[in-house]
Amino acid sequence: MGKKKRSRGDWTPPAKSAERQAADREVRNLRAAVRQPPLPQRRLILALIALALATFSVFLVFWVPAQTLVSDLRSRGVAVVAEITTSPKNKYGEAGNVTIRFNGPRGEVETVLTDWGGKRPEGLLPGSAVPVTYDPQDPSRVLTTEWVEDPPGMTLPMLVTLVLTPVFLVGVILLVVRRRTLLREREQTAPA
């Protein structure tokens, strides 16, 4: 009697041991982990939050003292005509520390014209006269009368910090949403 030949289609592999099945699962999990995008790190999210807070704080550092100065000068300021002694330009070609001289409550005062939100008035030439308003309690707090009556709306440093704050906050929101989505996906695909 001859042996009966089995066809290849009928052959089934032997059952795998529990150890082999566990090893195969581990390999599948590792391959799936390699294909998954990386999670946004918490420290990156915290860094963006810190940057948003820092830029908003810098905006407040420019805006609050300028508003306070204008408010103080409007309520108790004294208007005089001052002589411009120096009017240098900074390295960017903008007005630098403009020094002025005027008669104050205790005699002649020579001081630097106060900036408004990081900006100083342009076009002031040495030797010319300019109307200013100063605080009689502290004559070093002085602005041009034009800026006391109608201060600049927004200066470049204020605008930059005000624009960067929401950019960083949007980055935080996007990273948090991305992190939560990836964690939820990993939780759903994780083996029981």
Side-chain angles (χ1 to χ4, degrees), residues 27-150:
V27 167
R28 279 195 305 275
N29 289 342
L30 286 174
R31 285 183 181 157
V34 167
R35 282 180 285 212
Q36 290 179 347
L39 272 179
Q41 297 295 312
R42 286 183 181 142
R43 63 178 168 230
L44 176 61
I45 294 168
L46 291 174
L48 285 178
I49 290 171
L51 285 172
L53 289 174
T55 54
F56 188 68
S57 298
V58 170
F59 168 76
L60 290 177
V61 165
F62 284 124
W63 188 70
V64 170
Q67 293 297 328
T68 304
L69 177 64
V70 167
S71 175
D72 289 348
L73 292 178
R74 283 180 180 167
S75 65
R76 67 173 180 255
V78 176
V80 295
V81 175
E83 177 190 355
I84 299 169
T85 56
T86 61
S87 181
K89 300 278 184 193
N90 65 15
K91 63 182 180 180
Y92 304 110
E94 298 169 343
N97 292 334
V98 178
T99 309
I100 59 172
R101 184 180 320 136
F102 60 91
N103 290 326
R106 295 175 203 97
E108 190 169 88
V109 177
E110 186 161 338
T111 187
V112 173
L113 201 56
T114 307
D115 66 290
W116 192 94
K119 182 179 179 180
R120 299 187 188 281
E122 298 280 342
L124 302 176
L125 301 173
S128 62
V130 63
V132 297
T133 304
Y134 72 93
D135 185 351
Q137 296 173 359
D138 183 8
S140 65
R141 297 180 70 202
V142 60
L143 273 178
T144 61
T145 304
E146 179 184 342
W147 277 17
V148 171
E149 293 169 358
D150 185 27

